[in-house]
Amino acid sequence: MRIFNSYFGEGTSSVLYDEIRTKRGLVYDIKGFLKNESGIKLYSISLGTSKENIELAMKLIDDNIKKL
């Protein structure tokens, strides 16, 4: 999961950052977080955007997950 997060959601070279921020300019910041604690396995995505861009940003995240 750490390798996946490095590729998909962590940092400025990630898939999400490149697609949603660099190419489309929809968000101020976007990143993925991995919680891999005892009994907890959770991957979450955090982003900062305007109300108008929420639906499109979520659709792009879903589309990129499906591509993987």
Side-chain angles (χ1 to χ4, degrees), residues 23-50:
K23 289 181 182 175
R24 305 212 186 216
L26 296 175
V27 299
Y28 174 73
D29 191 26
I30 186 166
K31 55 184 125 180
F33 298 97
L34 177 64
K35 268 202 187 215
N36 192 12
E37 300 171 7
S38 179
I40 299 173
K41 308 292 185 232
L42 177 68
Y43 186 76
S44 60
I45 299 168
S46 171
L47 59 93
T49 190
S50 66

Side-chain angles (χ1 to χ4, degrees), residues 3 7-8 10 15-17 22-24 29 34 36 41 46 49 51-53 55-56 58 61 63 65-68:
I3 293 170
Y7 170 75
F8 188 71
E10 185 177 65
V15 170
L16 290 179
Y17 192 93
T22 304
K23 289 181 182 175
R24 305 212 186 216
D29 191 26
L34 177 64
N36 192 12
K41 308 292 185 232
S46 171
T49 190
K51 288 181 186 179
E52 297 83 22
N53 293 332
E55 293 297 321
L56 180 55
M58 288 175 53
I61 291 169
D63 291 347
I65 290 171
K66 289 175 186 174
K67 283 181 191 176
L68 292 177

